[in-house]
Amino acid sequence: MNRILFLLLTAVVSACAPRHTVTGRIDGLTNDTLLITFCAIEDIPRLSGDSDARITFDTIVAPNGRLAYDIAVERPAQIILTPVQLTEFHHGKRYPTNTSNMKCFLDKGERVVLAGRIDSTVFNCTLSGTRLNEDYSRHYQELLPFWVESQRLQDAIAGKTRAEQKALYDRFQETMSRRETCEMEYINANPDNPLAGYCLRRIPSDSVLAYYERLGDAARNSMFRPLLEPLLVKAEKHRQVRQAKAKIVSGHPAPDFTLKTTDGKDFTLSSLRGKYVVLDFWGSWCGWCIKGFPEMKKMYERYKGKLEIVGIDCRDTPEKWLQAVAEHRLPWINVYNPAETPPSEDVAVRYAVEGFPTKIVIDPEGRIASTFSGEGPDFYESLHKTLK
């Protein structure tokens, strides 16, 4: 009877013992502090930056390399673990490197076990507990050589000559291209695995639509589905941008459009027929766009009778757009191109905009005169010659 009672008590105690969300061991820690970043997967596409309230940041201690972390997982979530000793410190803030993070993915009630070690500057670990995390950690091992090499090349750039930096950057790009190939090979080999849907986020935009067609239902409808929907929209925009490039050339008619101004009124491009027009595609988040404003203002003031500038804000919220227009005192026509606009109606897509800033000059007859990508003197020199 006593033996039966003992076994029952043992079972009760075991059932009541805490089961942590993330457990494991990390060998080679010289600093036992780990950084945790937690976010629901469906929130990731809408995050506005590191300060977004939908991200949970936490710090835990792993004494003797042993970690146990609890967090309530109510929706499918991504958890990123970063040993502090592998972060880089810049301007009062710690930043991860290509080889300092390990991600895991959990749904409600799931748990994961981590077995890791620190190899110099590399956080090398495997995951267990769910099939998805086991598959992810195996695929991560395939990708790790590319992350290690890319980090080495980035670290080597500092202090080099311009020619040496270009050579290192070219090698970095080649390494990233091989990593993308590895991702695409994984999708081809595992079209029904949910992880194949996650890999879709890390291949070139011009390949996304074709590789999405290869996915099975299990990959299309997994916990990663919220990540795929905006990805497909972006890929469709990229496809239509490439198609539009054939029309956005000198001598072709400039596509007409109507967008809202800062006071909520409709502005239509064709209303400016008879003047030279510069379409300036920009965003408050674009440093080079902002850098060009002083010279743009000089140009606008000098040729005000012949020239009109239309600033087309992209990828901003209305609030950030209006704030930036006021802060930088932009004197020309300012309109807003909503981020959620379908690709077929998106003005930036119709004008084949691939980078920011992009400036497109339209002649008084409404034809494309010239296009300029980036911020440089060539735009101003060309416009001076045209308007003198």
Side-chain angles (χ1 to χ4, degrees):
M1 186 68 178
N2 288 340
R3 177 175 173 77
I4 293 173
L5 180 61
F6 173 77
L7 292 174
L8 286 172
L9 287 171
T10 301
V12 169
V13 171
S14 297
C16 295
R19 297 181 64 199
H20 301 290
T21 309
V22 182
T23 57
R25 178 182 178 87
I26 303 174
D27 295 326
L29 283 179
T30 57
N31 182 326
D32 60 8
T33 302
L34 304 177
L35 305 178
I36 304 286
T37 308
F38 175 90
C39 186
I41 288 173
E42 67 179 346
D43 289 338
I44 292 175
R46 300 187 298 276
L47 295 178
S48 58
D50 289 347
S51 60
D52 197 296
R54 288 169 287 197
I55 306 174
T56 297
F57 295 99
D58 208 347
T59 303
I60 64 171
V61 175
N64 299 316
R66 297 194 177 277
L67 66 133
Y69 180 67
D70 285 310
I71 191 165
V73 178
E74 299 297 330
R75 299 175 290 163
Q78 171 182 277
I79 300 176
I80 305 175
L81 296 94
T82 309
V84 165
Q85 73 191 66
L86 296 183
T87 59
E88 295 180 348
F89 201 73
H90 295 292
H91 305 294
K93 185 177 179 181
R94 291 190 178 277
Y95 293 90
T97 67
N98 289 334
T99 57
S100 64
N101 288 340
M102 189 61 188
K103 294 178 182 176
C104 58
F105 309 97
L106 294 175
D107 206 343
K108 188 172 183 177
E110 293 181 338
R111 291 170 175 80
V112 66
V113 179
L114 180 149
R117 67 180 186 275
I118 307 296
D119 295 331
S120 182
T121 61
V122 180
F123 186 20
N124 196 335
C125 59
T126 57
L127 304 173
S128 60
T130 70
R131 170 69 183 276
L132 176 60
N133 284 304
E134 290 167 3
D135 289 344
Y136 177 76
S137 68
R138 278 193 292 269
H139 183 49
Y140 180 79
Q141 291 300 315
E142 297 175 334
L143 298 174
L144 190 56
F146 303 118
W147 293 125
V148 171
E149 177 66 5
S150 66
Q151 187 63 48
R152 186 188 69 79
L153 292 169
Q154 283 181 299
D155 292 342
I157 285 178
K160 298 293 192 298
T161 65
R162 184 179 295 272
E164 290 170 330
Q165 288 180 344
K166 183 182 184 307
L168 288 168
Y169 181 74
D170 289 344
R171 288 170 58 190
F172 172 84
Q173 291 290 86
E174 189 272 334
T175 300
M176 289 294 94
S177 177
R178 287 189 288 119
R179 180 195 58 75
E180 291 169 346
T181 299
C182 183
E183 302 278 19
M184 291 187 281
E185 289 174 349
Y186 188 92
I187 295 171
N188 278 335
N190 305 276
D192 293 311
N193 192 313
L195 187 60
Y198 185 80
C199 292
L200 203 68
R201 302 177 70 231
R202 303 192 294 200
I203 68 175
S205 290
D206 57 6
S207 300
V208 166
L209 295 176
Y211 277 83
Y212 178 77
E213 291 300 318
R214 304 176 193 184
L215 296 182
D217 288 342
R220 293 187 182 192
N221 299 307
S222 73
M223 67 164 64
F224 299 124
R225 182 173 179 172
L227 303 181
L228 299 186
E229 292 169 355
L231 184 68
L232 295 174
V233 171
K234 181 180 178 181
E236 177 59 21
K237 282 189 175 183
H238 182 80
R239 185 186 71 81
Q240 293 193 24
V241 163
R242 284 183 294 147
Q243 289 181 337
K245 286 185 76 171
K247 300 177 182 178
I248 306 302
V249 294
S250 180
H252 279 225
D256 203 9
F257 62 83
T258 299
L259 291 173
K260 296 290 185 183
T261 61
T262 54
D263 56 6
K265 295 180 180 179
D266 284 340
F267 162 78
T268 300
L269 174 63
S270 55
S271 67
L272 297 179
R273 195 65 55 83
K275 286 187 175 183
Y276 279 94
V277 178
V278 172
L279 302 182
D280 180 30
F281 290 87
W282 71 288
S284 68
W285 43 269
C286 169
W288 282 104
C289 300
I290 306 302
K291 187 175 181 179
F293 286 157
E295 193 63 31
M296 289 270 285
K297 288 179 181 179
K298 292 178 185 176
M299 183 76 67
Y300 185 64
E301 185 62 32
R302 180 171 180 178
Y303 296 109
K304 216 170 191 178
K306 298 180 180 179
L307 171 71
E308 187 55 74
I309 297 175
V310 180
I312 304 174
D313 179 274
C314 303
R315 302 183 187 175
D316 266 328
T317 63
E319 295 76 17
K320 288 186 177 180
W321 164 55
L322 292 172
Q323 181 182 350
V325 169
E327 178 184 349
H328 299 290
R329 299 180 181 180
L330 305 184
W332 42 76
I333 298 169
N334 287 282
V335 294
Y336 179 64
N337 186 40
E340 66 276 7
T341 304
S344 60
E345 301 171 21
D346 190 311
V347 175
V349 173
R350 295 175 66 194
Y351 275 87
V353 174
E354 295 183 289
F356 294 84
T358 289
K359 296 179 177 67
I360 297 176
V361 182
I362 301 172
D363 69 20
E365 286 72 44
R367 297 186 299 260
I368 303 289
S370 52
T371 62
F372 299 86
S373 297
E375 178 61 31
D378 53 339
F379 163 72
Y380 303 101
E381 292 167 1
S382 173
L383 199 57
H384 274 306
K385 290 178 182 177
T386 300
L387 296 174
K388 276 197 303 187

